[in-house]
Amino acid sequence: MFPFDRLIRMMDEWTAAHGRQDVFAQIGNGTYEPKHMKWTRKLDQLDFAKTVEDSAMIVAHAGMGSVIMADQYGKPIVLLPRIKDQGEHTTDHQLATAAWLRGKPGIHVADTDADLAPTIEVASTTARDTSGKWAASADPEFLKKIRQYVIDSLG
Amino acid sequence: MPALDGMDVFYVSLDKSLAADVPGHDFYTIRDVSRRDRFGFIIVAFQLLKILFKERPKLVITTGSAPALIALLLSKYLFGSKTIWIDSIANAEKLSSSGKKAGKIADLWLTQWPQLSGPGGPQHWGAVL
């Protein structure tokens, strides 16, 4: 996991400013260690799922793993895309991911550092519409074509 | 993996807890590696070789990243496997760098984004999501 110290530091400050005791962070290989949040380096997929399930809201990079997990448990998610220039990823593809995800049910995008706190505020006061889970499963037509290709190529 | 129901399938992942999602199948973990980490590439290549010698897959299917590209290379050229690359949904505006390289190797090269498909590029059959 690439570090994302910018987000972790901002969330640590947010936690202190709001006097919250219930914020938990996964910080990866970051060098900044939170002072006000509980934290760990890396959760495995099961613990990650459990943590998301027990949460009221997720704040994350614009990574599909987090987005799909939040969708699965119907939790609102706030995304801050990683930026290549800040050494947060090898490309700027998260900007495109965030642009695509913007406005989908329960997804809130913070474009800048200054947007993060207000976006969390909006996310916490907007009920997530869980009537239609959009990331729950693959396109059946796609699966059918893959299956046919596999069968044909195994001959 | 509903597309592979009834077939003899094994899984390779970076996360051992995902084994719980595919009960009854052989499951292996390898370490993650990014293109900045040369030593990591060697370790992952050895981990994959061990798996491939044991399983000898007829076909390898992946949604990408650097370790998957190594798997594609090894399985195709050392074991003669058919290979399918489905570029990650996270790459909406351009293919990943692994995804570009995979185009030269994979027997079937797919993107989950229609706007990234076309002549000289991957095909678009739909999205995994």
Side-chain angles (χ1 to χ4, degrees), chain A:
Chain A
M1 284 170 77
F2 288 101
F4 198 5
D5 283 334
R6 181 165 61 102
L7 177 61
I8 301 301
R9 186 186 297 274
M10 280 197 287
M11 282 312 297
D12 202 31
E13 286 162 6
W14 184 92
T15 302
H18 290 75
R20 302 285 294 233
Q21 308 293 321
D22 55 351
V23 182
F24 178 79
Q26 173 183 255
I27 71 166
N29 295 325
T31 49
Y32 178 81
E33 297 188 350
K35 295 169 193 67
H36 308 286
M37 303 185 284
K38 291 192 253 339
W39 60 276
T40 188
R41 289 275 167 198
K42 173 98 174 79
L43 296 166
D44 72 20
Q45 203 65 15
L46 287 178
D47 288 334
F48 181 49
K50 172 121 189 38
T51 305
V52 169
E53 189 177 13
D54 294 342
S55 302
M57 184 195 302
I58 324 299
V59 179
H61 70 155
M64 289 310 296
S66 313
V67 171
I68 290 168
M69 198 63 88
D71 181 69
Q72 231 158 42
Y73 290 102
K75 307 289 181 172
I77 186 167
V78 172
L79 303 177
L80 182 72
R82 292 175 184 265
I83 306 290
K84 184 186 166 195
D85 277 354
Q86 310 238 22
E88 293 161 356
H89 216 303
T90 52
T91 70
D92 274 334
H93 74 271
Q94 287 205 347
L95 293 172
T97 306
W100 167 61
L101 290 168
R102 189 188 302 276
K104 292 215 188 307
I107 298 178
H108 305 265
V109 176
D111 291 305
T112 64
D113 293 4
D115 286 342
L116 185 67
T119 307
I120 292 171
E121 186 61 32
V122 170
S124 65
T125 53
T126 311
R128 174 155 193 164
D129 173 15
T130 53
S131 54
K133 289 194 175 179
W134 61 275
S137 65
D139 173 4
E141 211 36 48
F142 176 83
L143 295 179
K144 215 168 103 186
K145 282 166 100 168
I146 293 284
R147 184 174 181 85
Q148 197 54 51
Y149 183 89
V150 170
I151 289 168
D152 291 348
S153 57
L154 293 180

Side-chain angles (χ1 to χ4, degrees), chain B residues 3-74:
Chain B
L4 306 176
D5 275 352
M7 302 181 195
D8 178 15
V9 183
F10 71 94
Y11 294 88
V12 180
S13 170
L14 308 178
D15 183 342
K16 65 178 187 305
S17 74
L18 287 176
D21 289 346
V22 288
H25 293 284
D26 281 349
F27 185 91
Y28 305 88
T29 43
I30 56 173
R31 56 164 278 182
D32 197 5
V33 64
S34 81
R35 56 195 147 117
R36 293 173 183 152
D37 174 13
R38 284 193 186 173
F39 184 63
F41 267 94
I42 296 169
I43 294 174
V44 169
F46 273 105
Q47 289 179 316
L48 285 165
L49 278 173
K50 206 175 148 194
I51 298 165
L52 291 168
F53 265 111
K54 177 159 179 265
E55 297 281 353
R56 302 189 176 261
K58 289 203 181 111
L59 185 139
V60 171
I61 178 165
T62 171
T63 55
S65 85
L69 186 63
I70 307 172
L72 226 61
L73 274 165
L74 294 176

